[in-house]
Amino acid sequence: MILTDDDRRLRDGDEGPAVAAAMDLLVRYGEALDAERLCDVRNVAGTTTQPSPVKARLVAEGGWDRAFSIINLDADDTLPIPPMAVPTCQLQHGFGRDAVGVVPYAPEMVALQDDAEAFVGARGVSVLATCTPYQVGNLPVRGEHCAWMESSAVVYANSVLGARTNCEGGASTGAASLTGRIPCWGNHRDDERRGTHHVRVETPVASFLDWGLLGYAVGDAVQEGRPVVTGDLALPDLTDIKHFGAAAASSGGVELYHVPGVTPEAPTTETAFGGRPPRETVVFGPAERRAAHERLNDQGTSEDVDFVLLGCPHASLDQIRDAARALEGRRLADGTELWIMAPRALAAVAERSGYTAVIEAAGGRVLTDSCPAMSRTAPTGTRVFATDSAKQAHYLPAILGIEAWFGTTAECVDAAVTGRWRGELR
C-alpha cells in the first residue's frame, strides 16, 4: 500500500503502541483487499461494549484495555487504549438496566456492559446504542468517508445520505477509531458506487410493508450488487426507506442502492449507472411480491402467537406513535408479549409525548439499546413470534429456533391483542 508520511508515523509508534497496532491491522487489511491507500475518516460507528463470556474473561485477565486490544485491534498484548482520534459512536449492544426484570437477560451481562460504557465513554465514544445512529444525531454528509458496522446502517448511510462506507467489522472500526483511517476500496471509490442491476417495479409500492417486500426481493435477486430501482414507487419516508435497505441487506448483501429522483447520487437513471448499461434487469411485479411475502412466512405453522416484535431497525418516533394509536384502549392477550425496540434518545421523546404510557397500559414495552437478535433472547417460552420487520423475520427463527410470521404493523398489533396470527398473504 501507498502510505503517507503521517501514516508511517502512526504505524511506527509515534502515537503509542495501540495506534501502531491499529495501523498495522489496517495495512494488513488493506493489502488483503488490494487497496492502494487509506482513506481519511472522521466518523466511526462500531461496537466495543456488547457483553459476552469471552469479553468477561478478557476483562478479568487485564481489564477493558485487554478486551479492546484483543477484539478491536487484533493485538496479542494488552495495550493502553488512548482517546479516540475521530468522532466514534457505539451502535446497538446488549440490553440495559431498563430491561432488567422484563427481558430474560443475565444481570452480569448488564453490569459488564455498564463497565464497558464507562471505559469507552472516558475515551470519547458516544454511546448511542442503536442500529440507527442516523436517527439520533450521527448524520454524515454526502461524500464523507466513514467506517461503519451494521448492515442496515451502512446501506442507509451509502444510499440515503450519500456517505461512503463499507460494511466494516469490530476490528477495522476499532482501528479506524484510533487512527482516522480505513482502506480506500469498495464503496469509497467512485467507480464502485455505480448501479449494477436495474430493478423495474411493476406493482405499486407505497406502504411500509410494500417497501420491506421490495427490499427482500431485491436483495435476493442482486445479492451484493448495487440496484437501481425505478417504476411504480410512492415517495418513501424515513421508515419506508430504512425498512427497504435493511431487508435488501438481509436477503442479499446490498450496501448501496439508488432510487432515481430520491437518493442523492441518482438524479436520473442514467446518472445512477454512470452511463453504462445494467448488468441485468430484474422485474418486481405481483408474482415477485407474493413470492417474497410467502418466503418471509414460510417459517410459521402455528397461529398461536406468544411474542410480537416491532422496531427493527430501531423504530422511528412515527412508528412508536402509530403503535400507540393502534393499541389505545386495547389490552394484550394473556401469554403474549409485545416489545418495541427503539433508540434510547427516541424512547425518551416517546415517553414525554405520552406514547409509552399508552403502550404500557396495553401491556407492551418500549425497550432500548438492543434487540432479540443482538442479545439472543426473547420472552421465556416463546415458540411463535410476529413482526413487521423483514430483517427480524429473516434472522430470528435461525437464531432462537422459533417460528415467525411477517405482516403489517396492524396485523402484528392484532396478534398481540388476540394471541393469534390472522395476517393475509398478499
Side-chain angles (χ1 to χ4, degrees):
M1 293 182 69
I2 300 170
L3 299 182
T4 67
D5 290 342
D6 201 38
D7 292 338
R8 293 190 185 90
R9 185 180 63 81
L10 299 180
R11 183 199 59 187
D12 293 343
D14 284 14
E15 297 294 330
V19 175
M23 281 298 294
D24 176 71
L25 183 153
L26 292 172
V27 170
R28 287 185 283 124
Y29 179 32
E31 289 176 343
L33 296 168
D34 200 26
E36 293 182 358
R37 60 185 181 86
L38 298 173
C39 294
D40 290 333
V41 298
R42 59 180 186 183
N43 187 323
V44 177
T47 181
T48 57
T49 57
Q50 169 76 17
S52 69
V54 170
K55 284 187 181 176
R57 176 176 59 80
L58 291 171
V59 170
E61 292 173 355
W64 280 101
D65 282 318
R66 178 160 182 76
F68 193 104
S69 299
I70 301 297
I71 295 173
N72 297 100
L73 295 179
D74 190 37
D76 296 324
D77 301 321
T78 301
L79 307 172
I81 305 303
M84 304 298 107
V86 294
T88 300
C89 77
Q90 165 68 38
L91 295 165
Q92 78 277 24
H93 50 188
F95 282 103
R97 294 203 171 274
D98 62 328
V100 173
V102 177
V103 176
Y105 191 66
E108 58 269 24
M109 291 292 103
V110 176
L112 183 65
Q113 184 167 281
D114 284 347
D115 195 33
E117 289 184 13
F119 176 84
V120 298
R123 286 155 182 79
V125 176
S126 299
V127 184
L128 300 184
T130 178
C131 54
T132 59
Y134 48 85
Q135 290 199 103
V136 292
N138 189 346
L139 280 166
V141 300
R142 179 178 174 181
E144 180 178 350
H145 294 282
C146 305
W148 280 24
M149 293 176 63
E150 168 56 36
S151 61
S152 70
V154 165
V155 71
Y156 192 98
N158 279 316
S159 310
V160 182
L161 303 179
R164 299 186 171 208
T165 180
N166 296 304
C167 200
E168 298 293 349
S172 59
T173 53
S177 67
L178 292 181
T179 63
R181 310 285 200 282
I182 204 72
C184 195
W185 74 289
N187 297 322
H188 293 283
R189 296 170 54 93
D190 290 344
D191 58 344
E192 296 292 332
R193 297 182 67 84
R194 298 176 184 132
T196 57
H197 295 70
H198 184 195
V199 178
R200 197 169 67 237
V201 178
E202 297 181 352
T203 191
V205 171
S207 69
F208 180 75
L209 178 83
D210 293 340
W211 281 98
L213 290 172
L214 175 61
Y216 201 70
V218 167
D220 185 50
V222 310
Q223 290 299 303
E224 295 182 352
R226 297 182 293 275
V228 178
V229 186
T230 66
D232 196 352
L233 304 168
L235 184 67
D237 63 14
L238 182 151
T239 59
D240 298 330
I241 207 83
K242 74 180 174 73
H243 193 197
F244 170 80
S250 299
S251 60
V254 176
E255 296 181 7
L256 171 63
Y257 61 83
H258 302 289
V259 181
V262 175
T263 55
E265 295 180 41
T268 66
T269 302
E270 182 179 9
T271 303
F273 284 111
R276 301 180 300 194
R279 184 184 306 166
E280 182 182 353
T281 296
V282 176
V283 172
F284 180 79
E288 290 77 18
R289 186 185 192 282
R290 185 174 181 84
H293 199 278
E294 289 176 346
R295 184 179 171 196
L296 285 164
N297 281 285
D298 68 2
Q299 299 172 90
T301 56
S302 172
E303 294 179 350
D304 294 322
V305 174
D306 34 39
F307 175 40
V308 175
L309 174 67
L310 305 178
C312 174
H314 277 176
S316 68
L317 198 59
D318 287 348
Q319 288 176 285
I320 302 172
R321 180 203 60 214
D322 291 347
R325 286 177 176 171
L327 286 164
E328 192 159 16
R330 306 170 80 182
R331 184 73 191 170
L332 300 194
D334 291 341
T336 301
E337 293 195 38
L338 167 66
W339 294 355
I340 301 175
M341 306 308 306
R344 186 176 292 267
L346 295 188
V349 179
E351 182 174 9
R352 189 172 187 176
S353 301
Y355 307 150
T356 304
V358 173
I359 293 165
E360 291 182 346
R365 300 300 294 251
V366 177
L367 298 171
T368 64
D369 296 357
S370 193
C371 73
M374 190 74 177
S375 291
R376 298 176 179 268
T377 189
T380 302
T382 294
R383 294 175 296 107
V384 182
F385 93 110
T387 184
D388 62 355
S389 164
K391 179 175 182 176
Q392 285 286 345
H394 180 84
Y395 285 121
L396 207 56
I399 293 172
L400 296 182
I402 59 179
E403 295 182 22
W405 292 108
F406 168 77
T408 66
T409 305
E411 288 170 339
C412 290
V413 170
D414 177 77
V417 170
T418 65
R420 302 279 296 172
W421 182 252
R422 302 190 295 193
E424 298 180 5
L425 282 176
R426 294 168 173 81

mmCIF file of all heavy atoms in Angstrom, residues 255-292:
data_model
loop_
_atom_site.group_PDB
_atom_site.id
_atom_site.type_symbol
_atom_site.label_atom_id
_atom_site.label_comp_id
_atom_site.label_asym_id
_atom_site.label_seq_id
_atom_site.Cartn_x
_atom_site.Cartn_y
_atom_site.Cartn_z
ATOM 1 N N GLU A 255 -25.220 -3.043 -0.043
ATOM 2 C CA GLU A 255 -24.668 -1.959 0.774
ATOM 3 C C GLU A 255 -24.946 -0.592 0.158
ATOM 4 O O GLU A 255 -24.714 0.431 0.809
ATOM 5 C CB GLU A 255 -23.154 -2.146 0.950
ATOM 6 C CG GLU A 255 -22.783 -3.404 1.720
ATOM 7 C CD GLU A 255 -21.287 -3.569 1.920
ATOM 8 O OE1 GLU A 255 -20.522 -2.635 1.572
ATOM 9 O OE2 GLU A 255 -20.870 -4.630 2.413
ATOM 10 N N LEU A 256 -25.435 -0.577 -1.077
ATOM 11 C CA LEU A 256 -25.690 0.685 -1.772
ATOM 12 C C LEU A 256 -26.731 0.448 -2.851
ATOM 13 O O LEU A 256 -26.649 -0.514 -3.615
ATOM 14 C CB LEU A 256 -24.389 1.195 -2.410
ATOM 15 C CG LEU A 256 -24.481 2.388 -3.366
ATOM 16 C CD1 LEU A 256 -24.995 3.627 -2.657
ATOM 17 C CD2 LEU A 256 -23.115 2.658 -4.000
ATOM 18 N N TYR A 257 -27.738 1.308 -2.882
ATOM 19 C CA TYR A 257 -28.741 1.259 -3.947
ATOM 20 C C TYR A 257 -29.055 2.682 -4.370
ATOM 21 O O TYR A 257 -28.708 3.656 -3.692
ATOM 22 C CB TYR A 257 -30.022 0.548 -3.476
ATOM 23 C CG TYR A 257 -30.714 1.220 -2.320
ATOM 24 C CD1 TYR A 257 -31.585 2.288 -2.527
ATOM 25 C CD2 TYR A 257 -30.487 0.811 -1.006
ATOM 26 C CE1 TYR A 257 -32.210 2.929 -1.464
ATOM 27 C CE2 TYR A 257 -31.105 1.443 0.051
ATOM 28 C CZ TYR A 257 -31.963 2.499 -0.177
ATOM 29 O OH TYR A 257 -32.567 3.132 0.877
ATOM 30 N N HIS A 258 -29.707 2.804 -5.494
ATOM 31 C CA HIS A 258 -30.124 4.114 -6.000
ATOM 32 C C HIS A 258 -31.604 4.073 -6.351
ATOM 33 O O HIS A 258 -32.073 3.097 -6.961
ATOM 34 C CB HIS A 258 -29.327 4.491 -7.249
ATOM 35 C CG HIS A 258 -27.845 4.540 -7.055
ATOM 36 N ND1 HIS A 258 -27.226 5.523 -6.319
ATOM 37 C CD2 HIS A 258 -26.858 3.714 -7.503
ATOM 38 C CE1 HIS A 258 -25.914 5.319 -6.334
ATOM 39 N NE2 HIS A 258 -25.664 4.221 -7.041
ATOM 40 N N VAL A 259 -32.329 5.112 -5.980
ATOM 41 C CA VAL A 259 -33.701 5.329 -6.425
ATOM 42 C C VAL A 259 -33.697 6.680 -7.129
ATOM 43 O O VAL A 259 -33.654 7.729 -6.472
ATOM 44 C CB VAL A 259 -34.704 5.322 -5.254
ATOM 45 C CG1 VAL A 259 -36.136 5.524 -5.777
ATOM 46 C CG2 VAL A 259 -34.610 4.019 -4.469
ATOM 47 N N PRO A 260 -33.668 6.706 -8.454
ATOM 48 C CA PRO A 260 -33.551 7.978 -9.177
ATOM 49 C C PRO A 260 -34.625 8.983 -8.757
ATOM 50 O O PRO A 260 -35.815 8.661 -8.640
ATOM 51 C CB PRO A 260 -33.733 7.554 -10.640
ATOM 52 C CG PRO A 260 -33.194 6.155 -10.672
ATOM 53 C CD PRO A 260 -33.628 5.546 -9.377
ATOM 54 N N GLY A 261 -34.151 10.203 -8.487
ATOM 55 C CA GLY A 261 -35.039 11.250 -8.031
ATOM 56 C C GLY A 261 -35.275 11.263 -6.540
ATOM 57 O O GLY A 261 -35.903 12.191 -6.018
ATOM 58 N N VAL A 262 -34.752 10.251 -5.830
ATOM 59 C CA VAL A 262 -34.938 10.160 -4.372
ATOM 60 C C VAL A 262 -33.594 10.157 -3.655
ATOM 61 O O VAL A 262 -33.357 10.966 -2.758
ATOM 62 C CB VAL A 262 -35.745 8.902 -3.991
ATOM 63 C CG1 VAL A 262 -35.820 8.747 -2.465
ATOM 64 C CG2 VAL A 262 -37.153 8.962 -4.582
ATOM 65 N N THR A 263 -32.708 9.248 -4.027
ATOM 66 C CA THR A 263 -31.409 9.168 -3.360
ATOM 67 C C THR A 263 -30.426 10.143 -4.017
ATOM 68 O O THR A 263 -30.526 10.440 -5.208
ATOM 69 C CB THR A 263 -30.869 7.728 -3.409
ATOM 70 O OG1 THR A 263 -30.830 7.271 -4.766
ATOM 71 C CG2 THR A 263 -31.761 6.807 -2.582
ATOM 72 N N PRO A 264 -29.453 10.648 -3.259
ATOM 73 C CA PRO A 264 -28.692 11.825 -3.704
ATOM 74 C C PRO A 264 -27.756 11.616 -4.882
ATOM 75 O O PRO A 264 -27.441 12.581 -5.591
ATOM 76 C CB PRO A 264 -27.910 12.225 -2.455
ATOM 77 C CG PRO A 264 -27.818 10.998 -1.625
ATOM 78 C CD PRO A 264 -29.102 10.260 -1.872
ATOM 79 N N GLU A 265 -27.292 10.402 -5.117
ATOM 80 C CA GLU A 265 -26.348 10.183 -6.202
ATOM 81 C C GLU A 265 -27.033 9.746 -7.497
ATOM 82 O O GLU A 265 -26.354 9.355 -8.455
ATOM 83 C CB GLU A 265 -25.297 9.161 -5.770
ATOM 84 C CG GLU A 265 -24.428 9.662 -4.623
ATOM 85 C CD GLU A 265 -23.381 8.652 -4.188
ATOM 86 O OE1 GLU A 265 -22.775 8.015 -5.066
ATOM 87 O OE2 GLU A 265 -23.175 8.504 -2.980
ATOM 88 N N ALA A 266 -28.365 9.822 -7.515
ATOM 89 C CA ALA A 266 -29.103 9.366 -8.696
ATOM 90 C C ALA A 266 -30.176 10.363 -9.093
ATOM 91 O O ALA A 266 -31.371 10.078 -8.978
ATOM 92 C CB ALA A 266 -29.720 8.003 -8.421
ATOM 93 N N PRO A 267 -29.782 11.543 -9.578
ATOM 94 C CA PRO A 267 -30.811 12.458 -10.082
ATOM 95 C C PRO A 267 -31.565 11.872 -11.267
ATOM 96 O O PRO A 267 -32.727 12.187 -11.489
ATOM 97 C CB PRO A 267 -30.008 13.702 -10.484
ATOM 98 C CG PRO A 267 -28.602 13.218 -10.680
ATOM 99 C CD PRO A 267 -28.431 12.117 -9.694
ATOM 100 N N THR A 268 -30.891 11.001 -12.037
ATOM 101 C CA THR A 268 -31.525 10.307 -13.157
ATOM 102 C C THR A 268 -31.048 8.858 -13.154
ATOM 103 O O THR A 268 -30.028 8.510 -12.541
ATOM 104 C CB THR A 268 -31.147 10.944 -14.498
ATOM 105 O OG1 THR A 268 -29.735 10.748 -14.725
ATOM 106 C CG2 THR A 268 -31.473 12.433 -14.519
ATOM 107 N N THR A 269 -31.776 8.025 -13.888
ATOM 108 C CA THR A 269 -31.378 6.624 -14.023
ATOM 109 C C THR A 269 -30.026 6.513 -14.722
ATOM 110 O O THR A 269 -29.167 5.709 -14.334
ATOM 111 C CB THR A 269 -32.450 5.844 -14.801
ATOM 112 O OG1 THR A 269 -33.699 5.954 -14.111
ATOM 113 C CG2 THR A 269 -32.078 4.384 -14.934
ATOM 114 N N GLU A 270 -29.806 7.313 -15.753
ATOM 115 C CA GLU A 270 -28.535 7.279 -16.482
ATOM 116 C C GLU A 270 -27.371 7.623 -15.557
ATOM 117 O O GLU A 270 -26.312 6.977 -15.608
ATOM 118 C CB GLU A 270 -28.581 8.245 -17.660
ATOM 119 C CG GLU A 270 -27.303 8.222 -18.498
ATOM 120 C CD GLU A 270 -27.362 9.177 -19.680
ATOM 121 O OE1 GLU A 270 -28.316 9.978 -19.745
ATOM 122 O OE2 GLU A 270 -26.460 9.129 -20.524
ATOM 123 N N THR A 271 -27.562 8.632 -14.708
ATOM 124 C CA THR A 271 -26.506 9.001 -13.762
ATOM 125 C C THR A 271 -26.218 7.863 -12.796
ATOM 126 O O THR A 271 -25.055 7.588 -12.460
ATOM 127 C CB THR A 271 -26.919 10.254 -12.967
ATOM 128 O OG1 THR A 271 -27.198 11.318 -13.878
ATOM 129 C CG2 THR A 271 -25.815 10.681 -12.014
ATOM 130 N N ALA A 272 -27.257 7.193 -12.344
ATOM 131 C CA ALA A 272 -27.074 6.095 -11.392
ATOM 132 C C ALA A 272 -26.198 4.991 -11.967
ATOM 133 O O ALA A 272 -25.412 4.369 -11.249
ATOM 134 C CB ALA A 272 -28.431 5.527 -10.986
ATOM 135 N N PHE A 273 -26.312 4.739 -13.273
ATOM 136 C CA PHE A 273 -25.500 3.704 -13.915
ATOM 137 C C PHE A 273 -24.176 4.240 -14.449
ATOM 138 O O PHE A 273 -23.370 3.475 -15.005
ATOM 139 C CB PHE A 273 -26.286 3.057 -15.053
ATOM 140 C CG PHE A 273 -27.339 2.090 -14.593
ATOM 141 C CD1 PHE A 273 -28.685 2.385 -14.749
ATOM 142 C CD2 PHE A 273 -26.986 0.900 -14.001
ATOM 143 C CE1 PHE A 273 -29.666 1.500 -14.329
ATOM 144 C CE2 PHE A 273 -27.958 -0.002 -13.573
ATOM 145 C CZ PHE A 273 -29.298 0.312 -13.737
ATOM 146 N N GLY A 274 -23.941 5.532 -14.292
ATOM 147 C CA GLY A 274 -22.693 6.104 -14.790
ATOM 148 C C GLY A 274 -22.554 6.003 -16.297
ATOM 149 O O GLY A 274 -21.428 5.914 -16.809
ATOM 150 N N GLY A 275 -23.684 5.996 -16.999
ATOM 151 C CA GLY A 275 -23.636 5.911 -18.455
ATOM 152 C C GLY A 275 -23.416 4.520 -19.002
ATOM 153 O O GLY A 275 -23.328 4.331 -20.219
ATOM 154 N N ARG A 276 -23.329 3.515 -18.121
ATOM 155 C CA ARG A 276 -23.105 2.141 -18.560
ATOM 156 C C ARG A 276 -24.417 1.370 -18.550
ATOM 157 O O ARG A 276 -25.323 1.675 -17.781
ATOM 158 C CB ARG A 276 -22.094 1.444 -17.640
ATOM 159 C CG ARG A 276 -20.741 2.133 -17.590
ATOM 160 C CD ARG A 276 -19.763 1.414 -16.668
ATOM 161 N NE ARG A 276 -20.244 1.342 -15.291
ATOM 162 C CZ ARG A 276 -19.467 1.005 -14.260
ATOM 163 N NH1 ARG A 276 -18.181 0.719 -14.466
ATOM 164 N NH2 ARG A 276 -19.955 0.961 -13.045
ATOM 165 N N PRO A 277 -24.538 0.333 -19.351
ATOM 166 C CA PRO A 277 -25.758 -0.478 -19.320
ATOM 167 C C PRO A 277 -25.790 -1.340 -18.064
ATOM 168 O O PRO A 277 -24.737 -1.716 -17.530
ATOM 169 C CB PRO A 277 -25.644 -1.349 -20.583
ATOM 170 C CG PRO A 277 -24.168 -1.445 -20.829
ATOM 171 C CD PRO A 277 -23.598 -0.118 -20.399
ATOM 172 N N PRO A 278 -26.987 -1.654 -17.566
ATOM 173 C CA PRO A 278 -27.060 -2.519 -16.388
ATOM 174 C C PRO A 278 -26.587 -3.925 -16.700
ATOM 175 O O PRO A 278 -26.710 -4.412 -17.833
ATOM 176 C CB PRO A 278 -28.556 -2.511 -16.038
ATOM 177 C CG PRO A 278 -29.248 -2.153 -17.308
ATOM 178 C CD PRO A 278 -28.308 -1.228 -18.037
ATOM 179 N N ARG A 279 -26.035 -4.568 -15.697
ATOM 180 C CA ARG A 279 -25.593 -5.953 -15.829
ATOM 181 C C ARG A 279 -26.784 -6.882 -16.053
ATOM 182 O O ARG A 279 -26.683 -7.885 -16.753
ATOM 183 C CB ARG A 279 -24.847 -6.350 -14.557
ATOM 184 C CG ARG A 279 -24.228 -7.729 -14.540
ATOM 185 C CD ARG A 279 -23.609 -8.022 -13.185
ATOM 186 N NE ARG A 279 -22.660 -6.995 -12.769
ATOM 187 C CZ ARG A 279 -22.196 -6.875 -11.535
ATOM 188 N NH1 ARG A 279 -22.611 -7.709 -10.582
ATOM 189 N NH2 ARG A 279 -21.327 -5.931 -11.234
ATOM 190 N N GLU A 280 -27.920 -6.516 -15.429
ATOM 191 C CA GLU A 280 -29.111 -7.365 -15.505
ATOM 192 C C GLU A 280 -30.321 -6.507 -15.177
ATOM 193 O O GLU A 280 -30.222 -5.548 -14.394
ATOM 194 C CB GLU A 280 -28.989 -8.524 -14.515
ATOM 195 C CG GLU A 280 -30.144 -9.500 -14.519
ATOM 196 C CD GLU A 280 -29.982 -10.603 -13.474
ATOM 197 O OE1 GLU A 280 -28.894 -10.661 -12.846
ATOM 198 O OE2 GLU A 280 -30.934 -11.372 -13.282
ATOM 199 N N THR A 281 -31.462 -6.836 -15.741
ATOM 200 C CA THR A 281 -32.718 -6.182 -15.384
ATOM 201 C C THR A 281 -33.585 -7.178 -14.627
ATOM 202 O O THR A 281 -33.773 -8.322 -15.055
ATOM 203 C CB THR A 281 -33.466 -5.688 -16.637
ATOM 204 O OG1 THR A 281 -32.670 -4.678 -17.275
ATOM 205 C CG2 THR A 281 -34.812 -5.089 -16.267
ATOM 206 N N VAL A 282 -34.085 -6.730 -13.477
ATOM 207 C CA VAL A 282 -34.908 -7.565 -12.604
ATOM 208 C C VAL A 282 -36.294 -6.943 -12.534
ATOM 209 O O VAL A 282 -36.422 -5.727 -12.345
ATOM 210 C CB VAL A 282 -34.296 -7.655 -11.188
ATOM 211 C CG1 VAL A 282 -35.202 -8.435 -10.245
ATOM 212 C CG2 VAL A 282 -32.905 -8.272 -11.242
ATOM 213 N N VAL A 283 -37.328 -7.754 -12.659
ATOM 214 C CA VAL A 283 -38.702 -7.268 -12.583
ATOM 215 C C VAL A 283 -39.281 -7.604 -11.212
ATOM 216 O O VAL A 283 -39.126 -8.733 -10.720
ATOM 217 C CB VAL A 283 -39.579 -7.875 -13.691
ATOM 218 C CG1 VAL A 283 -41.041 -7.512 -13.485
ATOM 219 C CG2 VAL A 283 -39.103 -7.403 -15.059
ATOM 220 N N PHE A 284 -39.928 -6.615 -10.584
ATOM 221 C CA PHE A 284 -40.679 -6.844 -9.346
ATOM 222 C C PHE A 284 -42.141 -6.539 -9.645
ATOM 223 O O PHE A 284 -42.545 -5.388 -9.732
ATOM 224 C CB PHE A 284 -40.158 -5.946 -8.221
ATOM 225 C CG PHE A 284 -40.896 -6.123 -6.914
ATOM 226 C CD1 PHE A 284 -40.614 -7.191 -6.079
ATOM 227 C CD2 PHE A 284 -41.878 -5.220 -6.509
ATOM 228 C CE1 PHE A 284 -41.285 -7.369 -4.873
ATOM 229 C CE2 PHE A 284 -42.552 -5.371 -5.304
ATOM 230 C CZ PHE A 284 -42.260 -6.444 -4.482
ATOM 231 N N GLY A 285 -42.901 -7.596 -9.865
ATOM 232 C CA GLY A 285 -44.318 -7.462 -10.141
ATOM 233 C C GLY A 285 -45.136 -8.191 -9.100
ATOM 234 O O GLY A 285 -44.619 -8.607 -8.051
ATOM 235 N N PRO A 286 -46.422 -8.389 -9.343
ATOM 236 C CA PRO A 286 -47.284 -9.072 -8.361
ATOM 237 C C PRO A 286 -46.778 -10.458 -7.968
ATOM 238 O O PRO A 286 -46.852 -10.839 -6.798
ATOM 239 C CB PRO A 286 -48.634 -9.153 -9.090
ATOM 240 C CG PRO A 286 -48.618 -7.996 -10.037
ATOM 241 C CD PRO A 286 -47.199 -7.873 -10.499
ATOM 242 N N ALA A 287 -46.249 -11.214 -8.914
ATOM 243 C CA ALA A 287 -45.767 -12.567 -8.600
ATOM 244 C C ALA A 287 -44.540 -12.515 -7.690
ATOM 245 O O ALA A 287 -44.424 -13.301 -6.735
ATOM 246 C CB ALA A 287 -45.431 -13.313 -9.894
ATOM 247 N N GLU A 288 -43.623 -11.596 -7.980
ATOM 248 C CA GLU A 288 -42.412 -11.473 -7.147
ATOM 249 C C GLU A 288 -42.765 -10.967 -5.753
ATOM 250 O O GLU A 288 -42.160 -11.375 -4.757
ATOM 251 C CB GLU A 288 -41.416 -10.534 -7.820
ATOM 252 C CG GLU A 288 -40.770 -11.101 -9.078
ATOM 253 C CD GLU A 288 -41.677 -11.083 -10.302
ATOM 254 O OE1 GLU A 288 -42.682 -10.326 -10.296
ATOM 255 O OE2 GLU A 288 -41.377 -11.813 -11.257
ATOM 256 N N ARG A 289 -43.736 -10.078 -5.683
ATOM 257 C CA ARG A 289 -44.184 -9.556 -4.384
ATOM 258 C C ARG A 289 -44.758 -10.676 -3.529
ATOM 259 O O ARG A 289 -44.426 -10.814 -2.355
ATOM 260 C CB ARG A 289 -45.226 -8.460 -4.601
ATOM 261 C CG ARG A 289 -45.669 -7.750 -3.335
ATOM 262 C CD ARG A 289 -46.787 -6.760 -3.646
ATOM 263 N NE ARG A 289 -47.052 -5.875 -2.532
ATOM 264 C CZ ARG A 289 -47.746 -6.217 -1.452
ATOM 265 N NH1 ARG A 289 -48.228 -7.455 -1.347
ATOM 266 N NH2 ARG A 289 -47.942 -5.340 -0.484
ATOM 267 N N ARG A 290 -45.615 -11.470 -4.129
ATOM 268 C CA ARG A 290 -46.225 -12.566 -3.387
ATOM 269 C C ARG A 290 -45.169 -13.605 -2.972
ATOM 270 O O ARG A 290 -45.218 -14.139 -1.862
ATOM 271 C CB ARG A 290 -47.316 -13.233 -4.223
ATOM 272 C CG ARG A 290 -48.080 -14.318 -3.449
ATOM 273 C CD ARG A 290 -49.237 -14.868 -4.235
ATOM 274 N NE ARG A 290 -49.954 -15.886 -3.470
ATOM 275 C CZ ARG A 290 -50.902 -15.640 -2.579
ATOM 276 N NH1 ARG A 290 -51.272 -14.387 -2.346
ATOM 277 N NH2 ARG A 290 -51.507 -16.626 -1.926
ATOM 278 N N ALA A 291 -44.216 -13.874 -3.859
ATOM 279 C CA ALA A 291 -43.167 -14.842 -3.533
ATOM 280 C C ALA A 291 -42.356 -14.378 -2.328
ATOM 281 O O ALA A 291 -41.997 -15.184 -1.458
ATOM 282 C CB ALA A 291 -42.261 -15.055 -4.740
ATOM 283 N N ALA A 292 -42.028 -13.068 -2.258
ATOM 284 C CA ALA A 292 -41.285 -12.541 -1.109
ATOM 285 C C ALA A 292 -42.110 -12.676 0.162
ATOM 286 O O ALA A 292 -41.584 -13.052 1.230
ATOM 287 C CB ALA A 292 -40.923 -11.078 -1.352
#
